[in-house]
Amino acid sequence: MNSRRMNKGYIILTLTLILIVRSAAWAQDEQQPAPAPVPAAGQDENAVPTVSENPPISAIDQPGLEPHAAPESFLVPGLHFSESVDSNVGDTTAGSSLTSVTRALGSLTLQKLWRNYDVAMDYIGGVAYYDQSGFGLQQLQQFDIDNRINWKRGQLAIRDSFSYLPEGTFGFGAYGGGGAYNLGVGSLGSGLLGGGAFGGQSSAFSGGNGLNIALGVVPRITNFALADVVEELTPKSSVTFAAGYGLLHFYGNLTDQNSLAGPLQENVSFIGSSEYTGQVAYNRILTPRDQVAVSYGYQAFDFSAVGTAFHSNVVQAMYGHRISGRMDFVISAGPQFTRINQQECNIPTIPAASCTGLGGTVSTVGESRLGAAGRVVLRYRFPRTTVSLSYQRYDTNGSGIFAGALSDIVTADARRPLSRVWDAFANAGYSRNSQLQVPGSVVNSGTFNYIYAGMGLHRQFSRNLRGFVSYQFNYVSFNNGCPLGTACSSASQNHVGSIGLDWTPRPIRLD
């Protein structure tokens, strides 16, 4: 079963790469266009499409709040070094041992624009050294690519986000807290590109693979491939289509040095998952600042634990209010229909994976649930401060702890320049995850909560060099973290302090 799931994923990723290569060929063809009328005086014949100030609220793209620079093709390399001190890097319930984490990373960002085709790529990778027995040297790799084909009334975007990281990304704990992420390591751990000529992007559509909580140091691969189309029907109406495939795979097991002593027992394997998603929506502009939409979304989750899978169907009504360059507010809500399919053995207490070997028979049992899903996002740019708040409720992959979870996720972020060379930032997040199905869970717990809060400063030393200092607090709790047959509660926490340098030279123009 696992090989079939992996094969499906490879097929989808292969098709995505073929589309990317073919799109690049189209772009090369555009460099030698057929003769065309001479443009009017002052008109740029190579002008690229501008960033939409108010894209459809059901689309993956969301408008940027920062002033748009002139679109251009460029290449930007970078080097990033940081030193962190973690009070409980293994996430043990009684952990209090200080561990240093040294990271050395290199990055490369490319943006190339043609008349009707754009491509952006972002890579950052290197190593992290954990000064604690059992962890040692770990790789960090993240690669994002975003290809776009534009026409008069629409756009096709093909995107892929791949990472190989030693820890989870919710709260960006793998990089010394929110500070290191915000201050120079690009999109590491965030998934998809967010900036440049393309404006911002929403990760809400990635569903379960958008939530990857860190518990201990266990290397993991995440990948999310996505294709989406925006087509304008009239000046005030449009439709959007999107489809994607996500993968979460863990390497290695938790050990007695790398586990929550109560909830996560020694040599426990996290649960890998794959996800298929689809969405279609209709958007209508009411005023220059107001939009409404209705959408239908589908999610199918499959897990490495034998006999565990579920499907979700979500219908939502959406409303958005946007003020270009200043505010973006979107709210959506609607019913969520979840169908859970579990394989059960006719012999009580025997798992489905071992049933036939013990003379039993396996049957598939289905259960339907009706719930609610929704999202609220507010981003506001004051004259000197930018803040963002979000709340999301949807089915997720369970972060490797559960074989699926209903998750409530809250995040907040604020940034403010203090002077010409100093900036301050703060962020916080909360996630509550309720188990959807029992088979395959690595804990005897119905829910777990994760909280993080961070703050810090960064200083610009020169045009190319800047430094940062940051602090972050992380807390995870299980409502019942003891072995089967017992009842108790369990939690762990850690404090992370970081200091680092980022070297990023001027962009290399490619035009």
Side-chain angles (χ1 to χ4, degrees):
M1 179 178 290
N2 292 339
S3 62
R4 289 198 299 269
R5 287 195 297 268
M6 295 295 288
N7 288 338
K8 291 179 182 178
Y10 291 144
I11 290 172
I12 292 175
L13 293 179
T14 300
L15 292 175
T16 300
L17 291 175
I18 291 173
L19 286 172
I20 291 171
V21 172
R22 182 55 186 160
S23 299
W26 292 336
Q28 294 295 333
D29 292 341
E30 288 185 351
Q31 291 182 327
Q32 297 179 344
V38 177
Q43 181 179 353
D44 184 2
E45 64 177 350
N46 293 318
V48 297
T50 59
V51 178
S52 174
E53 298 291 346
N54 195 11
I57 56 177
S58 68
I60 305 303
D61 293 321
Q62 55 186 359
L65 296 183
E66 300 299 325
H68 296 309
E72 61 182 23
S73 300
F74 61 83
L75 181 69
V76 181
L79 295 175
H80 316 277
F81 301 93
S82 68
E83 184 71 25
S84 301
V85 177
D86 195 319
S87 67
N88 185 14
V89 71
D91 282 318
T92 59
T93 53
S96 60
S97 176
L98 294 178
T99 301
S100 67
V101 185
T102 303
R103 298 178 180 87
L105 305 170
S107 65
L108 189 65
T109 299
L110 167 69
Q111 180 170 285
K112 180 63 177 173
L113 309 179
W114 288 271
R115 182 179 301 176
N116 295 313
Y117 175 77
D118 311 326
V119 61
M121 291 183 286
D122 190 10
Y123 168 79
I124 184 166
V127 295
Y129 178 73
Y130 293 78
D131 187 21
Q132 181 169 323
S133 175
F135 300 144
L137 201 65
Q138 302 286 340
Q139 292 187 52
L140 297 91
Q141 308 287 339
Q142 172 90 23
F143 177 71
D144 298 327
I145 185 168
D146 189 329
N147 300 263
R148 299 177 182 229
I149 302 171
N150 305 288
W151 55 89
K152 183 177 181 180
R153 302 179 67 176
Q155 173 185 264
L156 165 65
I158 303 170
R159 325 167 200 233
D160 191 86
S161 179
F162 169 88
S163 69
Y164 178 87
L165 303 171
E167 300 180 53
T169 56
F170 183 66
F172 316 113
Y175 323 111
Y181 168 78
N182 288 326
L183 295 172
V185 295
S187 62
L188 183 60
S190 68
L192 302 181
L193 296 167
F198 300 157
Q201 295 180 358
S202 169
S203 62
F205 181 76
S206 64
N209 285 282
L211 183 66
N212 187 1
I213 290 174
L215 288 176
V217 180
V218 179
R220 65 204 68 192
I221 280 181
T222 61
N223 193 86
F224 191 72
L226 174 67
D228 63 286
V229 176
V230 177
E231 179 68 22
E232 181 181 301
L233 302 179
T234 70
K236 289 190 175 183
S237 64
S238 62
V239 291
T240 62
F241 306 90
Y245 172 79
L247 174 70
L248 173 61
H249 180 72
F250 295 90
Y251 289 90
N253 299 334
L254 291 169
T255 68
D256 56 353
Q257 293 180 325
N258 185 20
S259 66
L260 286 166
L264 300 181
Q265 304 302 310
E266 182 178 355
N267 295 324
V268 167
S269 297
F270 281 125
I271 302 172
S273 63
S274 60
E275 174 193 3
Y276 299 87
T277 57
Q279 179 177 284
V280 59
Y282 173 80
N283 299 260
R284 181 74 179 180
I285 296 177
L286 302 179
T287 73
R289 294 181 176 179
D290 297 283
Q291 286 191 53
V292 293
V294 58
S295 70
Y296 164 75
Y298 170 77
Q299 292 176 293
F301 290 88
D302 202 2
F303 299 90
S304 59
V306 175
T308 53
F310 69 88
H311 307 263
S312 293
N313 295 271
V314 182
V315 178
Q316 295 191 84
M318 309 177 70
Y319 168 76
H321 181 76
R322 288 167 171 169
I323 302 175
S324 178
R326 184 176 179 182
M327 187 187 79
D328 179 21
F329 172 74
V330 177
I331 183 172
S332 62
Q336 178 171 255
F337 306 89
T338 303
R339 175 71 176 179
I340 301 173
N341 297 319
Q342 299 179 5
Q343 293 184 0
E344 295 184 358
C345 182
N346 66 331
I347 304 175
T349 72
I350 301 297
S354 307
C355 186
T356 56
L358 297 176
T361 58
V362 177
S363 60
T364 300
V365 178
E367 177 186 358
S368 297
R369 299 181 184 179
L370 174 61
R375 180 169 69 111
V376 180
V377 177
L378 172 63
R379 299 182 300 144
Y380 199 94
R381 184 172 180 265
F382 294 95
R384 292 179 57 84
T385 304
T386 300
V387 298
S388 63
L389 302 170
S390 72
Y391 167 76
Q392 301 179 69
R393 178 182 175 87
Y394 53 86
D395 288 339
T396 71
N397 58 12
S399 295
I401 304 298
F402 296 148
L406 176 61
S407 299
D408 295 275
I409 304 168
V410 181
T411 60
D413 180 270
R415 306 183 189 187
R416 178 182 175 86
L418 303 178
S419 68
R420 185 176 60 85
V421 296
W422 286 96
D423 290 291
F425 61 89
N427 50 34
Y430 168 78
S431 172
R432 174 180 171 82
N433 305 275
S434 302
Q435 186 181 46
L436 284 179
Q437 51 186 343
V438 175
S441 175
V442 301
V443 295
N444 182 31
S445 178
T447 62
F448 75 91
N449 302 324
Y450 186 89
I451 300 172
Y452 72 88
M455 63 185 67
L457 298 168
H458 94 262
R459 188 185 193 283
Q460 197 78 29
F461 294 109
S462 67
R463 183 182 298 272
N464 301 332
L465 185 66
R466 61 182 176 181
F468 70 87
V469 58
S470 68
Y471 162 78
Q472 180 158 319
F473 170 75
N474 303 286
Y475 178 85
V476 59
S477 63
F478 293 79
N479 70 331
N480 180 14
C482 293
L484 294 175
T486 64
C488 69
S489 62
S490 187
S492 75
Q493 65 182 35
N494 70 318
H495 306 265
V496 183
S498 301
I499 187 170
L501 290 173
D502 299 305
W503 175 80
T504 306
R506 288 185 176 183
I508 302 171
R509 291 287 300 271
L510 300 179
D511 294 328

